[in-house]
Amino acid sequence: VASTLTETTGDGDGVFEPGEQADLVIHLANSGVSIGPVTAHLTCPTDDIEVLDGEAVFERLALNDTASNDAAPFRLQAAVNPNINFVPLRLSLSAENFSMTLDLSVPVGEPTVLLIDDDCGADYESHYARMSEQADWLYRIWSVRELGVALLDELMKYDAVVWFTGDDHDSTLTLTEQMLIRSYLDSGGRLLLTGQNIGFDLVADGTESDSLFFAEVLHAQFIADVTENYTVLGVNGDPIVDRVSVRFTGQYPQAENQVSQSVIAPIAPAVTLMHYIPSFLGAAIRCENPENGSRWVYLAFGMEGIAGLQSTSAADLLDRILSWLRLYSTSVQKNSTVMPQEFLLTQNYPNPFNPETRIALQLPEPARVKARVVNVLGQEIRLLFDRRLDSGVHTLHWDGRDDAGSAVGAGVYWLSVRMEGESGAAQSGAVKMVLMP
């Protein structure tokens, strides 16, 4: 079973968002005996989506036949405040002497994570999509093979970037890609880089420029090309991976490709994040630049190869890393040395939140910026600031209090931002924030 989701009401951006309606088309393929007609009934076990039209009939399906309900799609209505990003659906199929129930899910909301598929045409993106869905992170996949190297503007649209290289050991992180990553981190970017052959390709088999990128940008030192250790353990007390352990062998679905994991060590200010067990050699590092707000994690193995200890081990590690990457500083500050090309206001994080949350703001030019928190009636609750800001990426912070310093009640609030650039251009944006009790 495959599916296609199409926004039908809303802002017309092609993304199924809270409060909007969408059509869902189911594509069936019959790999068994002839059957039909098949009646389909779609339901949602949660309150996050209302199924407005959940009935469809598929004509008789012979062996290897395919069919869809594109002529009469299911109609869905997303809740205004869904509790999860990937909402489960249940598809019940029935025919004479046949019944089957299938579990599906659909995304609700704007993608916040960009998955850079740089695995030379392999299908490892399916593993990262599964991890993201299990961890409830909305994502978009960017295929380097199909779309070429992304531009900096594209990366800056998302709260974090996950860049995976699969088994590639000849062309990982080309010069163009290195320049992009350097610019992205200089602009306050948040990056997870993962691949088992990156160190070998850039250092053992790379140019002097490749080695300098590895050392000066990633702050990593290449120690060895292969380790026979198949368990990775987080550093005790680390804010991301304390008491976290993953394995490349196990019973759960994975790529079964981890045969040349690199051994690495950090170069200050980077620190070791994970060790291979039992050797205790370095498997991963993390680093941050407090001057521009950038953070990055480099895993010297491919996350697609994680097979345990639990069925959600890979998703849990991804969730921990992305959560750390997205933690912004708690004041309004400039996080950019490269001028953005467009005005952008990202969704606040965390959301829902209590007691504080953060929002990234991107300015293409110096501008006077007014940021206000308003309630659902449009009444101003808090004037966060009203002053000039330089071009770049800034971080806004709200502590859940009004102008008098009193904590406001739980509920829905909006952050409204308006910029008036020095060129005379004026733009506005708003994000919805949910304050929990």
Side-chain angles (χ1 to χ4, degrees):
V1 175
S3 62
T4 303
L5 188 67
T6 305
E7 174 197 16
T8 56
T9 67
D11 55 14
D13 63 354
V15 177
F16 187 30
E17 296 171 308
E20 296 181 347
Q21 293 184 9
D23 284 348
L24 181 68
V25 174
I26 300 296
H27 308 274
L28 299 180
N30 184 14
S31 58
V33 298
S34 297
I35 190 172
V38 178
T39 300
H41 183 63
L42 187 72
T43 58
C44 180
T46 74
D47 295 329
D48 300 294
I49 283 180
E50 179 184 0
V51 180
L52 302 178
D53 187 351
E55 299 288 341
V57 177
F58 298 86
E59 297 303 324
R60 185 172 182 83
L61 289 170
L63 175 63
N64 296 325
D65 271 357
T66 60
S68 74
N69 65 323
D70 55 351
F74 300 120
R75 176 61 56 89
L76 309 178
Q77 171 81 52
V80 174
N81 295 306
N83 295 308
I84 51 179
N85 292 324
F86 289 91
V87 179
L89 297 174
R90 188 161 297 143
L91 181 67
S92 300
L93 302 175
S94 62
E96 186 177 359
N97 300 320
F98 167 81
S99 65
M100 174 183 290
T101 300
L102 301 171
D103 291 325
L104 311 171
S105 68
V106 295
V108 180
E110 285 279 359
T112 57
V113 176
L114 183 64
L115 304 179
I116 300 288
D117 174 8
D118 198 14
D119 59 10
C120 285
D123 62 355
Y124 297 135
E125 61 273 13
S126 62
H127 295 275
Y128 289 89
R130 185 185 70 247
M131 293 179 218
S132 301
E133 292 174 16
Q134 287 180 328
D136 203 34
W137 289 92
L138 291 168
Y139 63 89
R140 179 194 175 192
I141 298 177
W142 181 283
S143 170
V144 174
R145 168 160 287 198
E146 296 177 3
L147 301 174
V149 179
L151 298 177
L152 177 60
D153 288 352
E154 183 65 27
L155 271 60
M156 294 301 296
K157 294 177 183 178
Y158 302 86
D159 292 352
V161 171
V162 178
W163 195 310
F164 57 94
T165 60
D167 302 330
D168 184 16
H169 57 78
D170 296 318
S171 59
T172 63
L173 303 186
T174 64
L175 179 59
T176 300
E177 292 173 328
Q178 292 175 30
M179 293 173 62
L180 172 62
I181 291 175
R182 185 188 294 269
S183 296
Y184 179 57
L185 295 179
D186 284 346
S187 302
R190 309 300 175 96
L191 173 70
L192 166 57
L193 176 65
T194 173
Q196 62 179 334
N197 295 316
I198 295 172
F200 167 80
D201 187 31
L202 294 185
V203 181
D205 194 38
T207 66
E208 180 179 358
S209 176
D210 292 335
S211 295
L212 287 174
F213 170 83
F214 197 75
E216 295 179 353
V217 177
L218 299 183
H219 288 279
Q221 180 182 0
F222 180 67
I223 305 299
D225 179 34
V226 178
T227 173
E228 295 183 356
N229 297 178
Y230 288 94
T231 298
V232 183
L233 180 66
V235 171
N236 288 340
D238 186 86
I240 305 177
V241 292
D242 183 31
R243 296 185 296 276
V244 171
S245 178
V246 298
R247 290 182 58 87
F248 303 127
T249 58
Q251 60 179 315
Y252 300 109
Q254 50 109 352
E256 300 182 2
N257 67 330
Q258 295 304 289
V259 295
S260 56
Q261 311 94 284
S262 295
V263 177
I264 60 174
I267 297 175
V271 297
T272 298
L273 182 69
M274 307 186 82
H275 291 111
Y276 295 110
I277 301 298
S279 69
F280 267 89
L281 296 171
I285 63 173
R286 64 174 173 86
C287 193
E288 57 184 313
N289 183 343
E291 294 184 0
N292 64 21
S294 62
R295 286 185 169 186
W296 63 99
V297 169
Y298 165 36
L299 306 181
F301 57 85
M303 290 189 70
E304 71 275 4
I306 295 176
L309 305 170
Q310 307 296 326
S311 61
T312 58
S313 288
D316 178 61
L317 179 58
L318 178 66
D319 184 44
R320 288 170 175 266
I321 294 173
L322 289 176
S323 296
W324 179 78
L325 289 175
R326 287 183 46 172
L327 284 176
Y328 294 100
S329 60
T330 57
S331 62
V332 177
Q333 67 177 46
K334 184 177 179 182
N335 291 336
S336 177
T337 59
V338 177
M339 182 183 294
Q341 299 300 307
E342 62 181 357
F343 171 82
L344 181 65
L345 183 67
T346 68
Q347 183 63 50
N348 63 304
Y349 179 82
N351 191 47
F353 71 97
N354 187 342
E356 59 186 33
T357 190
R358 300 155 188 86
I359 309 96
L361 169 67
Q362 175 179 295
L363 297 176
E365 63 175 321
R368 184 169 187 87
V369 176
K370 185 175 184 178
R372 303 181 303 132
V373 178
V374 300
N375 61 19
V376 293
L377 299 177
Q379 300 166 326
E380 182 175 304
I381 300 298
R382 175 80 172 271
L383 178 62
L384 285 185
F385 64 92
D386 183 8
R387 62 180 184 269
R388 182 188 180 280
L389 291 176
D390 291 333
S391 61
V393 181
H394 304 260
T395 301
L396 287 62
H397 164 254
W398 183 43
D399 59 3
R401 296 181 179 274
D402 59 20
D403 282 328
S406 301
V408 302
V412 175
Y413 297 88
W414 291 85
L415 176 71
S416 175
V417 176
R418 177 176 174 81
M419 63 153 279
E420 295 181 2
E422 291 185 348
S423 67
Q427 296 188 65
S428 301
V431 295
K432 181 172 67 177
M433 307 178 293
V434 181
L435 176 59
M436 299 295 287

